[in-house]
Amino acid sequence: MAQGLSTDQSVIYNREMKRDIQETKKRLLEAATNEFAQRGIAGARVDRIAELAGCSKALIYDYFGNKDQLFDVVYDALVVAFVQEVPIDTSDLAGYAGRLFDQYQACPEILRLAIWDILERGGSGTQLEAIQAANQHKIAAIEQAQRDGRVSNRWSPAEILMLIVGMSTMWLFATPKIAELSASEMSARRRTVTEAVRRLVDGSKKTGRGP
Protein backbone atom coordinates (compact mmCIF):
# COMPACT_ATOMS: atom_id res chain seq x y z
CA MET A 1 0.00 0.00 0.00
CA ALA A 2 2.95 2.27 0.71
CA GLN A 3 4.34 1.70 -2.77
CA GLY A 4 4.35 4.81 -4.93
CA LEU A 5 4.44 7.18 -1.96
CA SER A 6 7.09 9.85 -1.67
CA THR A 7 9.70 9.58 1.09
CA ASP A 8 7.84 12.06 3.30
CA GLN A 9 4.53 10.35 2.68
CA SER A 10 6.07 6.97 3.45
CA VAL A 11 7.42 8.24 6.78
CA ILE A 12 4.01 9.64 7.72
CA TYR A 13 2.30 6.42 6.65
CA ASN A 14 4.66 4.25 8.73
CA ARG A 15 4.25 6.53 11.71
CA GLU A 16 0.46 6.30 11.49
CA MET A 17 0.66 2.51 11.16
CA LYS A 18 2.80 2.23 14.28
CA ARG A 19 0.40 4.50 16.16
CA ASP A 20 -2.56 2.37 15.08
CA ILE A 21 -0.80 -0.80 16.19
CA GLN A 22 0.03 0.67 19.61
CA GLU A 23 -3.55 1.87 20.07
CA THR A 24 -4.88 -1.56 19.11
CA LYS A 25 -2.51 -3.28 21.53
CA LYS A 26 -3.58 -0.91 24.28
CA ARG A 27 -7.26 -1.69 23.70
CA LEU A 28 -6.53 -5.41 23.64
CA LEU A 29 -4.60 -5.27 26.91
CA GLU A 30 -7.37 -3.30 28.61
CA ALA A 31 -10.00 -5.76 27.35
CA ALA A 32 -7.86 -8.75 28.35
CA THR A 33 -7.27 -7.33 31.82
CA ASN A 34 -11.01 -7.05 32.38
CA GLU A 35 -11.70 -10.51 30.93
CA PHE A 36 -8.99 -12.33 32.90
CA ALA A 37 -9.85 -10.53 36.15
CA GLN A 38 -13.50 -11.53 35.88
CA ARG A 39 -13.23 -15.04 34.47
CA GLY A 40 -9.72 -16.31 35.04
CA ILE A 41 -7.50 -17.89 32.42
CA ALA A 42 -9.59 -20.94 31.57
CA GLY A 43 -12.84 -18.97 31.53
CA ALA A 44 -11.51 -16.10 29.44
CA ARG A 45 -12.40 -16.11 25.76
CA VAL A 46 -10.16 -14.69 23.06
CA ASP A 47 -13.12 -13.82 20.84
CA ARG A 48 -14.73 -11.86 23.69
CA ILE A 49 -11.48 -9.93 24.25
CA ALA A 50 -11.29 -9.12 20.56
CA GLU A 51 -14.91 -7.97 20.53
CA LEU A 52 -14.37 -5.72 23.56
CA ALA A 53 -11.27 -4.25 21.92
CA GLY A 54 -13.05 -3.77 18.60
CA CYS A 55 -10.60 -5.75 16.52
CA SER A 56 -10.16 -9.18 14.97
CA LYS A 57 -9.24 -12.24 17.01
CA ALA A 58 -6.34 -12.91 14.66
CA LEU A 59 -4.57 -9.77 15.88
CA ILE A 60 -4.35 -11.21 19.40
CA TYR A 61 -2.38 -14.17 18.13
CA ASP A 62 -0.26 -11.93 15.88
CA TYR A 63 0.64 -9.54 18.70
CA PHE A 64 0.73 -11.75 21.79
CA GLY A 65 0.74 -15.42 20.80
CA ASN A 66 -1.68 -17.71 22.67
CA LYS A 67 -4.01 -16.95 25.57
CA ASP A 68 -1.47 -17.91 28.26
CA GLN A 69 1.10 -15.59 26.73
CA LEU A 70 -1.47 -12.81 26.64
CA PHE A 71 -2.16 -13.36 30.34
CA ASP A 72 1.57 -13.08 31.07
CA VAL A 73 1.77 -9.79 29.17
CA VAL A 74 -1.25 -8.41 31.04
CA TYR A 75 0.05 -9.55 34.43
CA ASP A 76 3.54 -8.23 33.76
CA ALA A 77 2.23 -4.83 32.64
CA LEU A 78 0.04 -4.48 35.74
CA VAL A 79 2.90 -5.37 38.07
CA VAL A 80 5.26 -2.88 36.45
CA ALA A 81 2.65 -0.13 36.62
CA PHE A 82 1.81 -1.02 40.23
CA VAL A 83 5.45 -0.91 41.36
CA GLN A 84 5.98 2.42 39.62
CA GLU A 85 2.86 3.88 41.22
CA VAL A 86 3.74 2.63 44.72
CA PRO A 87 7.53 2.40 45.22
CA ILE A 88 8.64 1.03 48.56
CA ASP A 89 9.76 3.57 51.16
CA THR A 90 11.54 1.94 54.11
CA SER A 91 11.72 5.28 55.93
CA ASP A 92 7.91 5.10 56.21
CA LEU A 93 6.66 1.55 55.77
CA ALA A 94 3.35 2.47 57.39
CA GLY A 95 2.84 5.12 54.73
CA TYR A 96 3.90 2.61 52.09
CA ALA A 97 1.25 0.19 53.37
CA GLY A 98 -1.35 2.95 53.18
CA ARG A 99 -0.44 3.68 49.57
CA LEU A 100 -0.62 -0.04 48.79
CA PHE A 101 -4.08 -0.08 50.35
CA ASP A 102 -5.12 2.83 48.13
CA GLN A 103 -3.73 1.24 44.99
CA TYR A 104 -5.33 -2.15 45.63
CA GLN A 105 -8.66 -0.41 46.12
CA ALA A 106 -8.19 1.52 42.88
CA CYS A 107 -6.86 -1.46 40.90
CA PRO A 108 -8.28 -4.69 42.35
CA GLU A 109 -7.60 -6.44 39.04
CA ILE A 110 -3.97 -7.09 39.94
CA LEU A 111 -4.96 -9.06 43.02
CA ARG A 112 -7.61 -10.99 41.09
CA LEU A 113 -5.08 -11.90 38.41
CA ALA A 114 -2.63 -13.06 41.09
CA ILE A 115 -5.32 -15.30 42.60
CA TRP A 116 -6.28 -16.76 39.21
CA ASP A 117 -2.60 -17.41 38.52
CA ILE A 118 -2.25 -19.32 41.80
CA LEU A 119 -5.47 -21.29 41.32
CA GLU A 120 -4.98 -22.20 37.67
CA ARG A 121 -1.22 -22.23 37.16
CA GLY A 122 0.27 -22.85 40.59
CA GLY A 123 1.58 -19.30 40.79
CA SER A 124 3.85 -19.56 37.76
CA GLY A 125 3.15 -15.90 37.00
CA THR A 126 5.22 -14.95 40.06
CA GLN A 127 8.26 -16.16 38.11
CA LEU A 128 7.87 -13.28 35.65
CA GLU A 129 11.00 -11.15 35.58
CA ALA A 130 9.16 -7.97 36.60
CA ILE A 131 7.67 -9.62 39.69
CA GLN A 132 10.95 -11.29 40.72
CA ALA A 133 12.84 -8.01 40.33
CA ALA A 134 10.22 -6.02 42.27
CA ASN A 135 10.18 -8.48 45.19
CA GLN A 136 13.97 -8.71 45.35
CA HIS A 137 14.25 -4.92 45.41
CA LYS A 138 11.71 -4.61 48.22
CA ILE A 139 13.28 -7.36 50.31
CA ALA A 140 16.76 -5.86 49.88
CA ALA A 141 15.45 -2.42 50.92
CA ILE A 142 13.83 -3.84 54.08
CA GLU A 143 16.99 -5.82 54.90
CA GLN A 144 19.07 -2.64 54.68
CA ALA A 145 16.60 -0.80 56.91
CA GLN A 146 16.94 -3.58 59.48
CA ARG A 147 20.72 -3.31 59.41
CA ASP A 148 20.38 0.43 59.94
CA GLY A 149 18.12 -0.17 62.95
CA ARG A 150 15.14 1.59 61.35
CA VAL A 151 12.98 -1.51 61.09
CA SER A 152 12.43 -4.30 63.62
CA ASN A 153 14.37 -7.50 62.99
CA ARG A 154 11.83 -9.73 64.72
CA TRP A 155 10.79 -11.03 61.28
CA SER A 156 12.80 -11.64 58.13
CA PRO A 157 12.60 -9.06 55.32
CA ALA A 158 10.45 -11.43 53.25
CA GLU A 159 8.08 -12.00 56.18
CA ILE A 160 7.73 -8.26 56.77
CA LEU A 161 6.93 -7.71 53.11
CA MET A 162 4.30 -10.46 53.17
CA LEU A 163 2.73 -9.07 56.34
CA ILE A 164 2.54 -5.56 54.86
CA VAL A 165 0.95 -6.81 51.63
CA GLY A 166 -1.41 -9.04 53.60
CA MET A 167 -2.60 -6.18 55.78
CA SER A 168 -3.04 -3.83 52.84
CA THR A 169 -5.23 -6.37 51.01
CA MET A 170 -7.20 -7.91 53.89
CA TRP A 171 -10.30 -5.79 53.31
CA LEU A 172 -10.58 -7.15 49.78
CA PHE A 173 -10.86 -10.67 51.22
CA ALA A 174 -13.21 -9.86 54.10
CA THR A 175 -16.66 -11.42 53.89
CA PRO A 176 -19.61 -9.00 54.17
CA LYS A 177 -20.43 -10.29 57.67
CA ILE A 178 -16.89 -9.76 58.94
CA ALA A 179 -16.70 -6.36 57.26
CA GLU A 180 -19.90 -5.33 59.06
CA LEU A 181 -18.18 -5.86 62.40
CA SER A 182 -15.45 -3.35 61.61
CA ALA A 183 -15.25 0.22 60.41
CA SER A 184 -17.05 0.76 57.13
CA GLU A 185 -15.34 4.03 56.24
CA MET A 186 -12.41 3.56 53.90
CA SER A 187 -10.34 6.12 55.79
CA ALA A 188 -10.80 4.18 59.04
CA ARG A 189 -9.80 0.92 57.38
CA ARG A 190 -6.73 2.61 55.97
CA ARG A 191 -5.76 3.89 59.43
CA THR A 192 -6.06 0.36 60.81
CA VAL A 193 -3.60 -0.85 58.19
CA THR A 194 -1.07 1.94 58.65
CA GLU A 195 -1.15 1.79 62.46
CA ALA A 196 -0.76 -1.99 62.46
CA VAL A 197 2.25 -1.78 60.13
CA ARG A 198 3.74 1.07 62.16
CA ARG A 199 3.71 -1.14 65.27
CA LEU A 200 4.89 -4.16 63.30
CA VAL A 201 8.07 -2.56 61.99
CA ASP A 202 8.93 -0.23 64.88
CA GLY A 203 12.72 -0.48 65.05
CA SER A 204 12.93 1.01 68.52
CA LYS A 205 11.75 -2.27 70.06
CA LYS A 206 13.87 -4.91 68.43
CA THR A 207 13.08 -8.17 70.18
CA GLY A 208 15.00 -10.59 67.99
CA ARG A 209 13.49 -13.68 66.45
CA GLY A 210 12.07 -16.41 68.55
CA PRO A 211 8.85 -18.07 69.62
Side-chain angles (χ1 to χ4, degrees):
M1 185 176 180
Q3 292 180 353
L5 296 177
S6 67
T7 301
D8 288 344
Q9 289 173 324
S10 181
V11 169
I12 294 172
Y13 173 80
N14 290 331
R15 186 184 302 146
E16 290 297 325
M17 285 291 292
K18 289 179 181 178
R19 184 181 298 120
D20 289 344
I21 290 172
Q22 292 305 315
E23 285 297 320
T24 301
K25 285 184 176 181
K26 180 180 178 182
R27 293 199 309 273
L28 281 170
L29 288 176
E30 290 173 350
T33 299
N34 181 66
E35 179 75 2
F36 285 128
Q38 289 189 30
R39 297 179 171 86
I41 304 167
R45 294 290 177 266
V46 172
D47 53 354
R48 195 156 44 215
I49 294 171
E51 182 180 356
L52 287 170
C55 64
S56 70
K57 184 166 64 174
L59 285 178
I60 294 177
Y61 298 110
D62 288 342
Y63 294 154
F64 304 108
N66 59 36
K67 188 168 65 170
D68 277 313
Q69 290 172 318
L70 175 58
F71 179 87
D72 285 339
V73 173
V74 168
Y75 198 13
D76 188 273
L78 276 182
V79 169
V80 170
F82 197 97
V83 171
Q84 290 175 345
E85 286 288 329
V86 192
I88 191 167
D89 179 5
T90 55
S91 67
D92 182 17
L93 285 174
Y96 169 64
R99 291 188 293 277
L100 278 180
F101 174 88
D102 295 336
Q103 192 66 6
Y104 279 119
Q105 295 296 322
C107 183
E109 292 84 4
I110 190 169
L111 194 56
R112 293 172 188 165
L113 292 179
I115 293 170
W116 283 118
D117 177 62
I118 292 170
L119 291 174
E120 298 191 50
R121 304 198 305 180
S124 64
T126 59
Q127 300 305 312
L128 291 171
E129 184 177 348
I131 296 176
Q132 290 288 324
N135 287 336
Q136 289 170 6
H137 168 70
K138 292 172 186 177
I139 289 171
I142 294 172
E143 185 176 18
Q144 182 61 54
Q146 287 179 321
R147 286 197 294 266
D148 295 342
R150 294 181 286 112
V151 171
S152 170
N153 63 3
R154 180 176 178 82
W155 296 275
S156 72
E159 288 169 338
I160 288 178
L161 179 60
M162 287 189 290
L163 286 167
I164 290 173
V165 172
M167 289 181 189
S168 65
T169 60
M170 64 182 181
W171 297 110
L172 294 172
F173 292 107
T175 63
K177 288 297 182 182
I178 292 295
E180 288 175 4
L181 301 177
S182 59
S184 59
E185 298 83 4
M186 203 62 65
S187 59
R189 294 179 177 182
R190 190 183 193 278
R191 281 195 301 274
T192 296
V193 171
T194 55
E195 182 58 26
V197 171
R198 182 172 290 107
R199 297 187 183 195
L200 171 77
V201 303
D202 184 0
S204 65
K205 298 177 182 178
K206 294 166 60 174
T207 59
R209 297 184 199 169

